[in-house]
Amino acid sequence: MTDSTRPVILLVEDSPADQELTRRAFLDTLFQVDLRVVNDGEEALDYLHRRGAYRSSESSPTPNLVLLDLNLPRMDGREVLSHMRQEDVFAGIPVVILTSSDDEREVKKGYELGCNSYVTKPTTFEGFVIMIRNLLDYWLDLVRLPTAAG
Amino acid sequence: MFDKLLLIFDVSGFPPRWSCGLWSSLHGWTHIIADVLTALAYFAIPLTLAVFVSKRRDVPFSWLLWLFCAFIFSCGSVHLIEATIFWHPWYRLSAVAKVLTAGFSLMTVVALIKVLPEALKLPGMADVNRRLEVEVEERKRVNQTLALKNRELEDFAYIVSHDLQEPLRAISSFSGLLKGDLGENLPDVARDDLTHILNSTERMQQMVKDLLRLSRAGRDELKKELTPLQECVDDAIGQMELRIASSEARITTCGLPTMTVDRRLITQLFQNLISNAIKFTKDSQRPTIEITYDGNGVFGVKDSGIGIDPAYAKTIFNPFKRLHARDAYEGTGIGLSICRKAVERHGGRIWVESQPGSGSHFLFTLSPGSKDD
């Protein structure tokens, strides 16, 4: 069941530890969000296109924000981003790359592919909480985005 | 004995050759001139050979060439004596010279026959060239393989250090969360244990980060551009503004040239050297740092710090090499490795001149190809 009043955040992350840290960080921020988690790039596209296990709109509400890891099994985050930016229907969904890498080339590549922000994962839980709070403040409260399709 | 030896110079019983037979001038002088010229040539040939053999130690069968020298020289002597016999009939000396020549000739022949099978096995120039070409190709291949292996090693260091971040983050974060989750129920001893885990993880995170920095200094593509090196120093100082201000460090620079370098890497080089200079100066002292260029390719960063035992002058450039306890001076010991990597990628080298208590003088060169003026 989904709560249509809560913003939907899609976390594309393969590491169970990072998934759990992000969940805990969301709880700590006290933001009321509907956090959805998928484990790899293909699952992310299934979710976005409502295919396979995500056929119903209930199981795959359109996200207000995507937190995308880069290094994922099967299909990596760059391919997911590239695919999203080729589809008009996903054009208004902000994508934040959330990764361990602060390699200059990765940052450049991320923005070339059309990410809205590139964030390096903090090394501590406190850092995670601050990062999530800042992201939610900015993308859910501050900025104005086009009305989501679907 | 000596008297008997002198007998060979005795000319009694023989007339000079001019007086023996009906020599016309033309006939006699033809013999004389031909013998003298032959003698001169026979003296010059062994002399040249001797110079060659003594300078080229790698000549095969050099002893045979010395035998040739003796043989040709004795031939020359025979011809010279023959020429002089027209006036001075020392036929006894001539006989001795001819016997010696015969001896050397026979020895040379025997030696030649003995050496021939081995000499035939010697490779010719074309063969040597072919072998050299094969060897050069082989070396090229080995160098390429080495470069590839180095690259793979750097990639490996990068990937490992990159991938280590995630589990480290998990250990660090969940240890912190566990501490919070247990709250008051956490016994003191367990709290201490968790603190140790957190501190160690933090240190390892720093090491992994530093390893990544080192790996990047070695593998990131160089963007070389014409750069006044003073700007690199200014950038480095700018990035350390607070630290320099709080330590009240006095930094002077003198006559830095403009060179074609990767600005980011050279800035990092100066930054690490300045940072080290400040770090390793006693708190009670005001750090002074002189950055110099000697006009002859050598740069220097000289400080007033605690100095380094010369025994460690080389190893301090190895990754994670520390000379002091962690609680005395912070850091993982990667800075100088990055300096060495930055300098080596610009075709130069780095070294240190220092004595404990007398400050350190880090010196480095950059490839002359990098220099612009």
Side-chain angles (χ1 to χ4, degrees):
Chain A
M1 292 296 287
T2 62
D3 180 349
S4 58
T5 61
R6 289 189 297 167
V8 177
I9 312 290
L10 177 64
L11 173 66
V12 189
E13 171 65 68
D14 64 317
S15 155
D18 281 352
Q19 288 177 2
E20 182 58 21
L21 277 179
T22 314
R23 266 198 204 98
R24 300 277 291 257
F26 269 105
L27 286 176
D28 257 49
T29 61
L30 304 179
F31 266 90
Q32 295 294 308
V33 296
D34 181 0
L35 180 66
R36 304 290 175 129
V37 181
V38 292
N39 295 292
D40 61 57
E42 283 191 10
E43 204 181 336
L45 289 189
D46 283 349
Y47 179 103
L48 291 165
H49 285 289
R50 290 180 180 148
R51 296 184 302 223
Y54 300 98
R55 204 171 292 278
S56 72
S57 60
E58 270 196 3
S59 63
S60 55
T62 303
N64 299 82
L65 177 67
V66 175
L67 302 179
L68 180 66
D69 189 15
L70 281 182
N71 298 317
L72 299 165
R74 298 206 289 173
M75 179 188 286
D76 72 22
R78 300 163 198 84
E79 290 173 89
V80 174
L81 178 58
S82 169
H83 184 90
M84 284 183 74
R85 290 308 177 230
Q86 282 165 19
E87 302 267 340
D88 288 344
V89 70
F90 305 128
I93 302 175
V95 176
V96 174
I97 290 178
L98 188 55
T99 177
S100 302
S101 172
D102 59 356
D103 188 337
E104 199 57 44
R105 285 170 298 189
E106 291 283 17
V107 178
K108 192 163 173 261
K109 178 86 177 162
Y111 283 106
E112 278 170 5
L113 288 173
C115 78
N116 299 85
S117 301
Y118 186 107
V119 179
T120 307
K121 287 177 185 170
T123 50
T124 61
F125 178 69
E126 290 73 21
F128 249 84
V129 175
I130 294 168
M131 173 199 72
I132 295 292
R133 186 174 291 130
N134 286 339
L135 284 176
L136 296 182
D137 272 342
Y138 184 77
W139 286 110
L140 301 185
D141 277 356
L142 190 64
V143 298
R144 188 176 164 81
L145 294 164
T147 310
Chain B
M1 175 74 183
F2 188 65
D3 290 347
K4 282 184 182 170
L5 270 178
L6 282 179
L7 274 178
I8 60 175
F9 296 102
D10 183 16
V11 295
S12 60
F14 299 104
R17 192 167 276 166
W18 278 122
S19 319
C20 180
L22 300 170
W23 290 98
S24 67
S25 286
L26 177 66
H27 191 190
W29 281 107
T30 307
H31 271 273
I32 294 163
I33 291 169
D35 272 333
V36 168
L37 288 178
T38 308
L40 287 176
Y42 278 10
F43 291 148
I45 292 169
L47 198 68
T48 317
L49 264 180
V51 171
F52 175 73
V53 179
S54 58
K55 287 196 185 289
R56 284 289 302 268
R57 302 279 173 191
D58 59 336
V59 174
F61 314 120
S62 59
W63 56 271
L64 186 59
L65 291 180
W66 285 115
L67 206 52
F68 268 118
C69 288
F71 156 57
I72 299 168
F73 188 84
S74 59
C75 285
S77 313
V78 168
H79 280 280
L80 192 62
I81 292 167
E82 282 298 309
T84 56
I85 278 178
F86 275 83
W87 294 277
H88 196 73
W90 42 14
Y91 284 100
R92 291 181 183 85
L93 179 65
S94 172
V96 171
K98 282 180 180 174
V99 168
L100 279 176
T101 305
F104 283 131
S105 310
L106 284 172
M107 282 163 69
T108 310
V109 169
V110 171
L112 266 176
I113 291 169
K114 205 173 162 191
V115 152
L116 189 64
E118 267 188 83
L120 283 172
K121 286 181 199 159
L122 285 177
M125 275 311 273
D127 195 29
V128 169
N129 281 343
R130 226 179 1 257
R131 280 188 205 182
L132 267 177
E133 277 168 20
V134 170
E135 206 167 298
V136 167
E137 280 305 313
E138 177 67 11
R139 289 222 173 144
K140 263 191 204 166
R141 203 182 56 75
V142 169
N143 282 343
Q144 277 170 354
T145 312
L146 265 178
L148 191 71
K149 293 278 170 209
N150 267 342
R151 180 81 194 163
E152 280 175 3
L153 206 62
E154 280 179 353
D155 285 352
F156 174 76
Y158 177 79
I159 291 164
V160 166
S161 43
H162 180 267
D163 288 359
L164 277 176
Q165 289 186 107
E166 189 219 305
L168 278 174
R169 184 171 53 245
I171 295 169
S172 161
S173 300
F174 285 109
S175 302
L177 283 171
L178 187 63
K179 224 172 172 179
D181 291 345
L182 291 172
E184 295 297 314
N185 299 325
L186 187 65
D188 285 346
V189 64
R191 190 178 300 278
D192 288 346
D193 293 346
L194 275 173
T195 305
H196 286 308
I197 292 173
L198 282 166
N199 289 345
S200 298
T201 315
E202 195 182 324
R203 195 158 64 78
M204 191 162 170
Q205 279 175 327
Q206 192 53 51
M207 288 172 83
V208 166
K209 262 189 196 169
D210 285 345
L211 200 58
L212 266 173
R213 279 171 58 215
L214 175 65
S215 160
R216 279 195 190 128
R219 72 201 287 273
D220 278 0
E221 198 182 327
L222 290 183
K223 289 177 192 158
K224 285 193 175 180
E225 56 185 350
L226 209 56
T227 312
L229 295 196
Q230 182 63 48
E231 287 182 11
C232 293
V233 173
D234 292 343
D235 287 351
I237 291 173
Q239 285 168 31
M240 304 168 68
E241 209 168 359
L242 284 176
R243 191 145 171 238
I244 291 169
S246 66
S247 66
E248 296 181 355
R250 189 172 50 220
I251 302 173
T252 57
T253 55
C254 182
L256 299 183
T258 293
M259 293 176 82
T260 304
V261 296
D262 183 297
R263 176 189 277 261
R264 190 185 54 83
L265 215 48
I266 298 299
T267 301
Q268 200 173 3
L269 165 70
F270 282 117
Q271 196 177 337
N272 286 355
L273 291 176
I274 295 169
S275 165
N276 262 14
I278 295 173
K279 191 201 300 183
F280 293 108
T281 299
K282 284 179 184 158
D283 286 343
S284 55
Q285 284 181 349
R286 181 182 179 189
T288 57
I289 302 157
E290 293 170 45
I291 302 173
T292 56
Y293 178 65
D294 72 350
N296 224 357
V298 180
F299 297 84
V301 178
K302 193 174 187 179
D303 65 47
S304 56
I306 58 171
I308 299 162
D309 185 335
Y312 300 109
K314 281 191 179 157
T315 50
I316 51 165
F317 294 101
N318 292 342
F320 300 122
K321 180 69 189 175
R322 295 174 48 86
L323 302 181
H324 307 278
R326 267 192 298 278
D327 50 1
Y329 296 99
E330 59 172 15
T332 59
I334 206 82
L336 288 176
S337 308
I338 292 175
C339 290
R340 182 170 68 179
K341 189 67 84 180
V343 167
E344 284 176 352
R345 291 199 74 190
H346 285 82
R349 64 187 194 95
I350 184 166
W351 67 102
V352 66
E353 291 171 0
S354 180
Q355 287 293 334
S358 307
S360 300
H361 194 185
F362 283 90
L363 297 140
F364 64 89
T365 60
L366 300 172
S367 156
S370 303
K371 192 167 182 312
D372 188 60
D373 62 18

